[in-house]
Amino acid sequence: MDINGWHAQRRARKEDELLSARRPDTRFSVAEDISPMHEMFIGGFQVPRPPVPSHSYPHFAQPPPSPIPPTPPPKDAILTQPGYQPGFYQAQTQQPPPPHFQPQPDFPPQHGGYQYQPGYHYQPGTQSTTTPTQLTQLSAVERSQALRIARMDPHLQFMVGPLLRYDTVDEFGIWHGAAMIVTADSGSIYEPHPTLTYEWDPDQTSHYTAQARSFDLGQHPADPHSTILSTNPNGYSNNYMRPPSSNVTKEVVPGQEIHVYGGPGGTFTFWRFLIQISLGPHEMNISYSINSGQKLDFYVPGLSQNMRWATYSCNGFSAGVNQDDFCGPGFKSGYDPVWMDLLAKHNETPFHALVGGGDQLYCDSLMREPELQRWITMKPDEKLRYPLTDEIASTIDRFYFNHYCQCFRRGAFARANSSIPMMNMCDDHDIIDGFGSYPNDLQKSPVFQRVGIKGYFYFLLFQCFINPDFDGYSEEPGRHWCKSLIIGNQGPFVQARSHSFLAYLGPQCRILLLDCRGERSKEHVCSRGQYDTVFSRLDKLPSNVQHLIVQLGIPIAYPRMVFLETALDSKLNPLVAISRAGSLGLSGFVNKFNAEPELLDDLNDHWTARIHKKERNNFIERSQNFALRKRIRVTFVSGDVHCAAVGVLKTLRQKGRQELAPQMDYRYMVNIVTSAIVNTPPPNAVIGMVSSLATKVHKTMHYCETDETMIPLFENEPNGQPRKQRFIMGRRNWCAVYWDQRTEGITFDIRVEKEKGRGETAGYTVHVPPPAWPKPNRDR
């Protein structure tokens, strides 16, 4: 819910005005565009350089800070480029200095290398931090190997990537996933086609410790631009723990050309690499590289292990929010601090999956593209009739392509999505603010429908590595690469079928990512047919499954704001009339699309909105019946609201009776709300209002013996001070999820930012018990 305050709205309007003019030559002066990545940006942050004057040694000059990459060199200058940035566990490297350059003693340890341990086998391409002094103790061959740059052969010029995606584990214990890159055709060599090499040692046990961070953070413990990374959570590479066994497995897979985008900057190819790994008795580290370039890595669980995973939402700033307000000392961007905290936890105990709960990026700035300004400034009825021009169509394509490349290669987020396999589901901002919750006539208008079609297409392409035109819609075994996919019906506004996912999180756990945008309209979140298809797949879950996590973009158990919804929806609301007239500086009170109140689409988006009340109750009842029948605990995970909270659905306590214990209650369903990892929380007044509504008694589902409430989880501030608003936490956050082997329950650790922009969090834990109620007789 984007309630960012009056000052943010005013700033956004001023920025819009600056972006709406053409130059005298009729060309637009501003449009979101992006260049190919410099090699040092691949996999995360840029490589630190020694502080050598740029006029002396141009190749040591500091490049501009991320997320703006430098213009790539000509294709014939590839061999003179510095080495590209490795992944999260890989050391940062640099081009060896010229022979006459002498490092000074006070230089920080910025040379990549490996920690020399006699008797251990060195593997080129996996590097760990060391100092120049340590390097001098090695032989010439060892120094050469330590500083050697892993270059892709043939060379590829990246726009974004590599990105990792987790799909599922099949009944044979095979882990399925994929990697994806986007390359600039003009700067890449495709003879032969790109390949991905991945390898693992099934006999090599992964060891890690939480005693220290895995990276040397220099002057400030959260400065991503002074980071020197080692190759595993211990600070030394798994490859040097002992010599590799004879069972090391290596696979080489070719890239699939799943899409080509053509725009003003040329043509760009999407390459997908399918990954399959036979899980072993214990957790394994998987290293991978593209075209024999720098190695990156990720982790897969043991065959009998339930996964550790992290979830987040709202990975961007709303219009008018000043990101510098969230940029603490040492950081270059307000996007990075909380992501750096997640990466630090990943470094201590690696996550096996990273679940994006919606709004993985904010595409609202599409409406700032200059070519769309004429349409934006039209009256609502004129917008409905305005035709889709070739210029507008190409602008929409250009925006989504460039915006995804920019966001998915930015700072700490890029580090995460190249080292923790992603599982993503879209919410409105992945397409456009409020998409699916506007009136049908606007949603079906030529320009707005093009936004929906392309927004959903690029969500599937960049976040799920799916192109329906290439992959089709078949769910028959072996026909679609994505085995977790549940294909729904044709959406009314996206010209595609909905894509939900049911994936393995361990022997006892599954996760359902329910597509609440593909078939959405103002009248319903999901169609009846979509529910039938999803529950039909859920009914086939094996008997050993105890927990089902249901990821919903919008919270399903959350305080209502019916009074505000009623006021904003009223035609008699004087603020609406004044805002539509642009009077009193209140034009920001209504949205740009149809001049309805700005917050009304947010309220209509919610499961608890009046228009969705019946559908919500039916969905909850159906989930309860499933839980009882299959003896599976259902837990919801949501985002969207820029707050942390925990709602609870449970059996209604009858007068004179004791409340049913959670482990015995099949209606006991927790809704973990974790939002936002980047965006600003709502103003304190809004937090206070929502908190006051959290204690309100809702009788909505008393007819089916269901009560709902909120857990007062936030008794104290992250610094330990007591707080009054116990139900809602208005700070940036994310959530780590762990299997409790002792109780067979699941622990959700909501990590809340201690101090804005500082990159450190405090944990608030919720334990979800396993099911202990008996199965109905017919299912025993």
Side-chain angles (χ1 to χ4, degrees), residues 703-729:
Y703 71 90
C704 60
E705 300 183 62
T706 301
D707 195 12
E708 53 184 298
T709 185
M710 305 291 291
I711 293 179
L713 183 65
F714 308 104
E715 301 277 358
N716 298 301
E717 297 284 359
N719 63 6
Q721 295 294 319
R723 66 193 309 267
K724 295 180 180 179
Q725 299 168 353
R726 302 176 301 156
F727 300 97
I728 308 293
M729 175 62 78

Side-chain angles (χ1 to χ4, degrees), residues 459-658:
F459 154 70
L460 291 176
L461 187 61
F462 272 97
Q463 299 194 41
C464 305
F465 306 176
I466 291 173
N467 179 358
D469 296 332
F470 181 87
D471 297 308
Y473 290 108
S474 177
E475 291 184 278
E476 296 179 13
R479 295 293 299 274
H480 200 290
W481 82 268
C482 187
K483 298 182 180 300
S484 64
L485 178 61
I486 302 176
I487 297 175
N489 302 314
Q490 178 85 10
F493 310 127
V494 298
Q495 289 189 2
R497 296 169 68 178
S498 64
H499 289 64
S500 299
F501 303 93
L502 179 60
Y504 172 102
L505 287 180
Q508 285 83 31
C509 301
R510 299 293 188 274
I511 185 170
L512 169 67
L513 290 86
L514 183 64
D515 187 348
C516 296
R517 292 292 159 184
E519 299 187 39
R520 191 185 191 100
S521 71
K522 187 175 181 180
E523 291 73 33
H524 64 256
V525 179
C526 302
S527 70
R528 183 182 298 272
Q530 184 179 358
Y531 286 119
D532 290 342
T533 301
V534 167
F535 277 99
S536 175
R537 180 74 73 87
L538 291 176
D539 285 337
K540 298 175 183 177
L541 289 177
S543 59
N544 56 288
V545 175
Q546 298 184 50
H547 292 267
L548 174 68
I549 312 298
V550 180
Q551 190 282 318
L552 303 171
I554 309 291
I556 200 167
Y558 193 72
R560 285 101 159 121
M561 287 183 279
V562 176
F563 71 93
L564 184 58
E565 183 182 353
T566 302
L568 292 178
D569 204 20
S570 173
K571 296 180 180 179
L572 302 177
N573 189 331
L575 288 178
V576 176
I578 294 172
S579 300
R580 285 173 176 165
S583 304
L584 302 181
L586 292 176
S587 59
F589 186 77
V590 295
N591 69 55
K592 299 178 180 180
F593 302 133
N594 61 352
E596 286 188 347
E598 179 64 46
L599 288 179
L600 189 57
D601 66 281
D602 286 301
L603 297 173
N604 285 336
D605 242 17
H606 278 229
W607 288 96
T608 51
R610 288 174 303 168
I611 198 169
H612 299 313
K613 180 178 177 181
K614 183 177 180 180
E615 179 184 357
R616 169 189 181 267
N617 294 351
N618 288 338
F619 178 40
I620 291 173
E621 276 194 86
R622 200 162 180 177
S623 298
Q624 291 173 343
N625 293 333
F626 162 79
L628 174 63
R629 185 175 66 256
K630 297 289 289 185
R631 198 169 177 266
I632 293 176
R633 173 74 64 200
V634 176
T635 302
F636 299 104
V637 175
S638 307
D640 179 75
V641 293
H642 303 180
C643 305
V646 182
V648 179
L649 300 161
K650 59 183 180 179
T651 294
L652 180 66
R653 179 183 177 182
Q654 300 297 328
K655 187 175 182 180
R657 294 186 181 180
Q658 195 172 18

